[in-house]
Amino acid sequence: MILVTGGAGYIGSHNVIALLNAGYDVVIFDNLELGHIETVNTLKNIVSKGKVIDFIKGDLQNLSDIESVFEKYQIDAVVHFAAYSQVAESVKNPQKYYFNNVYGTMNLLCAMLKNDVKRIVFSSTAATYGEPDYVPIDENHPQKPINTYGKTKLMIENIMDDYDKAYGLRSVRLRYFNVAGADSQNRVGEWHEPETHLIPNILKSTFSGGKTFQMFGTDYPTKDGTCVRDYINIEDLANAHVLALKYLEHGGSTNYFNLGTNEGNSVKEVFVSCENVTGKNITLEEKPRREGDPATLIADNKKAKTDLGWVPEKSLNESIKTAYDWECKLTENIKLGV
Ligand code: UDP
């Protein structure tokens, strides 16, 4: 049985499906503050290879909540997503982030050690690198996070190194670049309230009553003046977690990998792709730069390809298409009050 913390959220839910398809039984642990019970119910209805999905509502900040999961289930390994992840909020309210992300993870690791569970795949981020010294960013790039969110993730990576040395707890840390898209069968997708990410915000603006899309910053030193990011498809990303789990199962040592495509797209390019995929002329408002946005973030993904055998396959257009299908479903359900 694999424990997935934060399995009711965007990245976690797609990973639950990938784990199920790979033949694992899964127990989801989520406090449903940002995750959705509707997502859990959808996941529980997925039948794949006779595998089981269970759900426990609980909070990592309560040690007893997470300990009870290990008492109830025979956990073999953990995939850990549960975290706050909004950069601006993390700077305004660092206490919230240190308690939830760092202290919460320490409770999880405590419960793991107590129950002799020694493998974890951890959701880390390109934000641990901070302002890049060079791009594409490889895993040897210095980690100098410039916001509290990135700092919490780096602290956890460091804690995991110490726990490996002292207790033999092995980890794989996956450093995500910009995650995009939704389940290709449109069962789950990105569902944040409020939404801050580029692709869902462009797509949401196409629905009646949606806010006009705001483009933050058109004077960056990039090809067209807008920020360049590396958009990695959510299903490709989820597959990397399954490979990381297998890597640990086969005795792989503690490691860390970038998850990205090795390619960058500007905000303007993403915007045009959204117009093409939706077939709509989308209105936009040019705004000043958003604080803390580096001009360019692109992953060097060679290490994950070589060491994990990971092959990201899906294009930006495929991510936008699935994200759009999901936005249509979400908007329809909200309208219907489902
Ligand atoms: N962005 C934008 N309008 C939005 C949301 C994002 O122009 O409504 C820009 C943002 O300034 C950044 C890029 O899109 O340059 C990607 O932002 P996102 O929040 O999706 O991901 P991040 O790179 O911050 O993790």
Side-chain angles (χ1 to χ4, degrees), residues 1-277:
M1 180 72 98
I2 306 297
L3 167 62
V4 178
T5 72
Y10 170 44
I11 298 177
S13 59
H14 292 79
N15 269 276
V16 169
I17 294 176
L19 288 167
L20 212 61
N21 289 340
Y24 292 99
D25 293 311
V26 172
V27 55
I28 297 170
F29 180 85
D30 200 298
N31 65 5
L32 297 183
E33 183 190 340
L34 302 173
H36 301 272
I37 190 65
E38 294 87 341
T39 302
V40 172
N41 291 336
T42 302
L43 292 171
K44 281 174 121 178
N45 282 328
I46 297 174
V47 179
S48 178
K49 298 180 184 166
K51 294 292 150 186
V52 175
I53 295 183
D54 267 355
F55 171 62
I56 302 282
K57 185 167 187 260
D59 195 312
L60 285 178
Q61 290 184 61
N62 298 327
L63 181 59
S64 58
D65 282 8
I66 186 65
E67 277 181 341
S68 68
V69 178
F70 286 85
E71 277 154 27
K72 184 161 177 201
Y73 299 93
Q74 178 72 44
I75 304 294
D76 300 303
V78 178
V79 188
H80 175 35
F81 300 100
Y84 294 133
S85 63
Q86 285 193 34
V87 168
E89 183 191 55
S90 77
V91 176
K92 277 201 202 93
N93 193 354
Q95 177 167 254
K96 175 173 172 179
Y97 277 67
Y98 287 117
F99 265 110
N100 190 53
N101 295 8
V102 182
Y103 175 65
T105 301
M106 290 179 70
N107 279 340
L108 171 65
L109 296 176
C110 178
M112 287 175 67
L113 289 177
K114 199 167 160 191
N115 291 278
D116 207 29
V117 178
K118 298 279 183 73
R119 283 176 273 145
I120 185 165
V121 176
F122 173 57
S123 161
S124 188
T125 167
T128 60
Y129 294 118
E131 193 71 50
D133 296 339
Y134 56 86
V135 287
I137 299 172
D138 58 23
E139 289 82 354
N140 295 323
H141 187 287
Q143 287 180 291
K144 298 175 295 187
I146 54 170
N147 54 59
T148 304
Y149 166 64
K151 286 181 192 169
T152 64
K153 292 284 181 172
L154 179 57
M155 279 181 187
I156 297 165
E157 288 206 22
N158 291 334
I159 289 170
M160 287 179 172
D161 278 333
D162 289 346
Y163 280 34
D164 186 2
K165 283 188 205 107
Y167 314 123
L169 191 152
R170 287 176 295 128
S171 62
V172 170
R173 285 97 64 154
L174 298 174
R175 298 176 188 155
Y176 312 155
F177 282 66
N178 287 59
V179 187
D183 173 45
S184 41
Q185 293 183 44
N186 206 18
R187 294 166 292 191
V188 290
E190 190 163 7
W191 186 359
H192 296 123
E193 285 157 5
E195 187 52 75
T196 61
H197 294 110
L198 178 64
I199 295 173
N201 272 354
I202 298 173
L203 297 174
K204 279 181 197 300
S205 75
T206 67
F207 297 102
S208 74
K211 279 191 254 156
T212 306
F213 167 64
Q214 300 189 320
M215 186 177 275
F216 299 131
T218 50
D219 59 349
Y220 284 96
T222 56
K223 48 189 163 187
D224 59 21
T226 62
C227 287
V228 171
R229 294 287 181 273
D230 182 338
Y231 294 89
I232 177 69
N233 177 269
I234 182 74
E235 290 183 323
D236 282 337
L237 185 104
N239 288 336
H241 292 70
V242 174
L243 293 168
L245 206 54
K246 290 191 187 296
Y247 164 92
L248 289 173
E249 256 168 40
H250 296 138
S253 51
T254 286
N255 217 328
Y256 37 85
F257 302 98
N258 288 340
L259 297 183
T261 65
N262 245 8
E263 275 167 38
N265 284 99
S266 72
V267 171
K268 277 189 182 157
E269 286 171 342
V270 173
F271 180 81
V272 170
S273 299
C274 287
E275 288 197 315
N276 291 338
V277 168

Side-chain angles (χ1 to χ4, degrees), residues 295-337:
T296 303
L297 290 174
I298 300 172
D300 180 327
N301 65 5
K302 281 194 243 15
K303 192 177 172 208
K305 284 179 167 169
T306 310
D307 293 9
L308 295 178
W310 181 55
V311 189
E313 287 170 343
K314 293 188 197 278
S315 66
L316 175 62
N317 272 350
E318 283 172 275
S319 294
I320 293 174
K321 171 79 177 69
T322 51
Y324 186 54
D325 290 344
W326 169 254
E327 285 301 335
C328 292
K329 184 172 172 178
L330 206 54
T331 308
E332 190 56 27
N333 284 352
I334 287 166
K335 231 187 301 171
L336 295 173

